[in-house]
Amino acid sequence: MLGISTRGLKGGECLCPIVSFGCQCQSSNQLLFSSNPNYGLSKTSRKLKVSRFKARFWESIRSGFLKNNSTQVMEAPPDLEEEEEEPMPEEFVLIEKTQPDGVIEQIIFSSGGDVNVYELQTLCDKVGWPRRPLSKLAAALKNSYLVATLHSIRKSPGSEGNEQRTLIGMARATSDHAFNATIWDVLVDPSYQGQGLGKALVEKVVRALLQKDIGNISLFADSQVVDFYRNLGFEPDPEGIKGMFWHPKY
Amino acid sequence: MILRGIIPTTPLPSLRLKLKPTRNVTASSSQTTVSKFSISDQELESRGFILRRTISDLDINHLNSVFVAVGFPRRDPDKIRVALENTSSLLWIEYEKTRRPVAFARATGDDVFNAIVWDVVVDPSYQGMGLGKAVMERLIDELLEKGICNIALYSEPRVLGFYRPLGFVADPGGIRGMVYSRKSKNKKL
């Protein structure tokens, strides 16, 4: 399995999209859902610690692009000051690059959660996750507190605004809206892996949760991705506390 | 959850109930009923313990006292209320005579695939009677009824022995529970 995944699934099912209460747009055979807009933005500022992390983070992303001269890494959203952190925008460009053929590709992060369930299933297929009923995927998304996505937007030169938008990453978190949140299902399209996008996804989800004052952010990591999450600030078995599963299928 | 006294590594025998846990059979009057739980609803009721599944009659301050009594930090009751309102499955036991909660457990999740159990507590004065097991067994049952088969929790080291007999396994397949820490963030690089 190539996808970076946190353990949210047991045997047969893939966790996926965000679903909202009431879709705004529906075309004939596509379902578009947006996530539960149930969160207010916290005014709590995280001060220096988070901005220090951000600086290091953007450095690590930038260093991954030294080979490709036409790649431009967008700076952190300009409203983030050193001393005071403004609420993270819901959607912004993470990376923009111009390909040799002139096509401009943007990687867009969004926590607003407009996820096409079929697109999500395609992504789950790409990372090798077992299939799950679409209705269940939709419900799981709807019941998630936060769903973050990465989309690739490709614009050909002179294409007059015709753009190709593809879902290339997703991460979601469930929560009680007050104390605890758990991150599930972090996945990145295999052809986009190795660029720091998974890190970006998780970092943004963590930041969004912190801004909503959720103090306890947890997840379950397969052994091969424990270090990945350690580097993002997660600690295994803090104070000896162990993750346990009921009759796991192992 | 913190249990008073020594935590045995073998399942806690229900000595006070005079039941054989493996058979789950209660004999009352002339009838014998089989319960899927270690202690049946009837048995609980006969001892004055009422099972509750909603927060409508729950006094948050009383619940908070139980949390504090077992060693949790005292949390803002309004935040607790928000948390409970956004919790899809919860169970508590009310003691008839005092009308107060004596055991509690809740589970959050996406209601389809995953659930995590939080805040499993039994008032120290009522521990050792199987009330913790009673709420856990029923909570798990409710989650399974919903079709959720991925049920997880974070256990303090000293209560691993409470969760194991209920069917929980630590770090299955090498999976590790991880928690975000702002401190460990600063340490990196």
Side-chain angles (χ1 to χ4, degrees), chain B residues 129-177:
Chain B
M129 296 182 208
L131 296 183
K133 190 173 226 179
V135 293
M136 281 302 296
E137 285 178 343
R138 285 162 178 79
L139 186 65
I140 292 165
D141 189 63
E142 185 178 314
L143 295 169
L144 294 173
E145 291 279 316
K146 287 185 180 181
I148 300 166
C149 42
N150 192 32
I151 303 170
L153 54 84
Y154 294 90
S155 170
E156 290 181 30
R158 54 190 153 164
V159 289
L160 290 168
F162 167 76
Y163 291 112
R164 261 188 226 113
L166 291 164
F168 287 91
V169 177
D171 299 350
I175 290 177
R176 307 285 292 283

Side-chain angles (χ1 to χ4, degrees), chain A residues 7-8 15 46 132 143 172 176 182 217-219 221 231-233 235 237 242-247 250, chain B residues 106 110 113-114 116 151-155 166-167 169 171 175-182 184-185 188:
Chain A
R7 214 18 125 196
L15 298 169
R46 301 294 157 176
R132 296 186 174 207
N143 297 327
R172 67 183 181 105
D176 58 18
T182 307
I217 304 169
S218 58
L219 54 83
N231 290 333
L232 286 163
E235 201 187 314
D237 306 343
K242 299 298 261 171
M244 299 184 93
F245 286 82
W246 191 79
H247 289 301
Y250 282 100
Chain B
R106 66 185 178 105
D110 53 30
F113 300 124
N114 309 309
I116 307 217
I151 303 170
L153 54 84
Y154 294 90
S155 170
L166 291 164
V169 177
D171 299 350
I175 290 177
R176 307 285 292 283
M178 301 184 84
V179 176
Y180 180 77
S181 158
R182 266 157 274 206
S184 62
K185 192 61 106 45
K188 94 175 174 74

Side-chain angles (χ1 to χ4, degrees), chain A residues 43-116:
Chain A
K43 293 194 180 71
T44 311
S45 60
R46 301 294 157 176
K47 307 232 170 30
L48 273 172
K49 289 179 187 175
V50 177
S51 29
R52 230 185 273 139
F53 166 70
K54 260 199 310 293
R56 275 200 296 272
F57 171 76
W58 285 105
E59 271 313 307
S60 71
I61 289 267
R62 229 174 270 133
S63 65
F65 287 99
L66 287 173
K67 292 169 200 162
N68 185 351
N69 293 341
S70 58
T71 298
Q72 185 189 89
V73 177
M74 302 304 287
E75 294 300 325
D79 55 355
L80 297 166
E81 310 287 5
E82 196 67 16
E83 291 300 322
E84 186 189 280
E85 190 182 306
E86 308 241 341
M88 190 174 75
E90 199 175 76
E91 185 165 299
F92 54 88
V93 180
L94 213 57
I95 298 168
E96 180 170 305
K97 49 184 156 179
T98 307
Q99 293 174 353
D101 57 5
V103 169
I104 298 170
E105 183 183 31
Q106 288 181 328
I107 308 293
I108 312 266
F109 170 89
S110 171
S111 56
D114 278 327
V115 179
N116 179 310

